[in-house]
Amino acid sequence: TWGAQVVKSLFGYAVFLLAMGYLLEKLVTQRIAGLQAGAERIAKGNYATQLVADSTDEIGRLAEAFNRMADGVQSREQTLSKLSQAVEQSPESIVITDLQGNIEYVNSCFVENTGYSFEQALGQNPRILQSGITPLATYESMWTALKAGKGWQGEFINQRKDGSVYIEFAIIAPIRQPDGQISNYLAVKQDITEKKRIGRELDAHRHHLEQLVACRTAELSEARQRADEANLAKSDFLANMSHEIRTPLNAINGMAYLIRREGLPPEQMARLAKLEISGKHLLETINAVLDLSKIEAGKMVLEQTDFELDKVIETVFSMSADRAASKQLQLLTNLSSTPLHLNGDQTRLQQALLN
């Protein structure tokens, strides 16, 4: 009887322990299954759903670690996504190759510029773009720099898939891993075909303009030479003409002087005086014509001498009186507020008043 009770008690304890073990196992299994499901969501890129970390035991701490890992992976993926979009949407062709030059990546701009699709370019060597026009020295210089771990930049004359030729300016640099080892090469290339065409047109226009300027300069030089020769001929003509006129005019003035010495009636003496004054004025006019050529040559110099203003006015009146009288005009002067003793060019002043 006592033994039966002991057996029953032991059996009850065993059932209780089994039940507790089953419940604990089911609870742990459920929590582990939750961790497994969370890890699978993270692996698929679903970082929004956080694992429930409702305890501080090992499973709870493991759930918190999964959540932190998901946040870190999400942040890095967002950064990588931005970089990937920037590269893919770049307006320049971007090519990534391995160390042997085999293409591992090209962006959309490369596809648009070359006509090769991503699938067609993948695994190919960039030499599929070679046109045969780019100098071999360009490729030698590029590989020398890259193999030395340095960047390189230069121009390629390449050929598209359709056979058309275009010019690219490329910047190529090695990609280094954290340990410093070079794993890939990155090329950023710009299509400068249109820029080159515009540059050639500008050079042609500039060359044409230089030719026009040189031709116009020669024409102007020739025209200036002809003008100088014409001015010289004019000066010679004026000098000869003035000599031919001044010779008889001086004779006339000399004869008038001799007649005055012999004496004449007052009326004739007055007329002789006007003749002398007019002769002198004509001589001064001839000198003024010569001065005109001096002015054009920039060699005109005004005299600086003392003279009496009233004598200049008297001469002007004497030479202009007959013309004024013929027009029924009366000449009047008023020198009350004007200084009579002046310094300057008397001949030029007299010419100005007569004109």
Side-chain angles (χ1 to χ4, degrees), residues 221-347:
S221 178
E222 183 179 355
R224 181 172 180 177
Q225 183 178 358
R226 290 197 300 266
D228 291 341
E229 292 174 354
N231 285 331
L232 181 60
K234 181 183 68 175
S235 298
D236 292 341
F237 170 75
L238 290 175
N240 293 331
M241 182 190 70
S242 64
H243 175 72
E244 296 298 328
I245 295 176
R246 274 193 290 188
T247 299
L249 185 57
N250 286 329
I252 293 172
N253 291 336
M255 291 300 296
Y257 173 74
L258 293 176
I259 293 172
R260 177 183 291 277
R261 289 182 60 183
E262 293 178 358
L264 289 174
E267 184 179 352
Q268 291 182 356
M269 289 294 287
R271 292 175 181 174
L272 184 61
K274 292 181 180 180
L275 177 63
E276 289 177 327
I277 292 173
S278 296
K280 291 180 179 179
H281 177 68
L282 181 57
L283 185 60
E284 291 171 353
T285 302
I286 294 173
N287 292 331
V289 172
L290 293 175
D291 289 340
L292 180 61
S293 62
K294 292 182 180 179
I295 292 174
E296 292 180 349
K299 298 180 180 179
M300 179 63 183
V301 178
L302 294 176
E303 296 182 2
Q304 296 289 331
T305 59
D306 296 331
F307 63 92
E308 304 295 332
L309 179 60
D310 54 349
K311 292 183 179 180
V312 175
I313 299 299
E314 180 181 348
T315 301
V316 172
F317 261 62
S318 175
M319 297 175 64
S320 305
D322 291 340
R323 284 183 295 171
S326 66
K327 297 179 181 180
Q328 297 181 350
L329 297 175
Q330 184 179 9
L331 297 178
L332 299 175
T333 61
N334 183 3
L335 302 177
S336 59
S337 60
T338 304
L340 299 180
H341 302 283
L342 301 178
N343 181 274
D345 196 322
Q346 178 180 345
T347 302

Side-chain angles (χ1 to χ4, degrees), residues 121-145:
L122 196 64
Q124 295 289 338
N125 192 284
R127 67 173 61 96
I128 62 174
L129 302 176
Q130 291 183 6
S131 62
I133 304 176
T134 304
L136 292 177
T138 301
Y139 299 109
E140 293 173 358
S141 171
M142 177 192 70
W143 281 112
T144 299

Side-chain angles (χ1 to χ4, degrees), residues 9 28 30 38 54 114 126 134 145 160 182 191 195 212 240-241 245 252 297 317:
S9 297
V28 171
Q30 288 178 346
D54 53 357
T114 65
T134 304
R160 298 184 178 92
I182 298 174
D191 187 345
K195 185 184 296 184
L212 290 177
N240 293 331
M241 182 190 70
I245 295 176
I252 293 172
F317 261 62

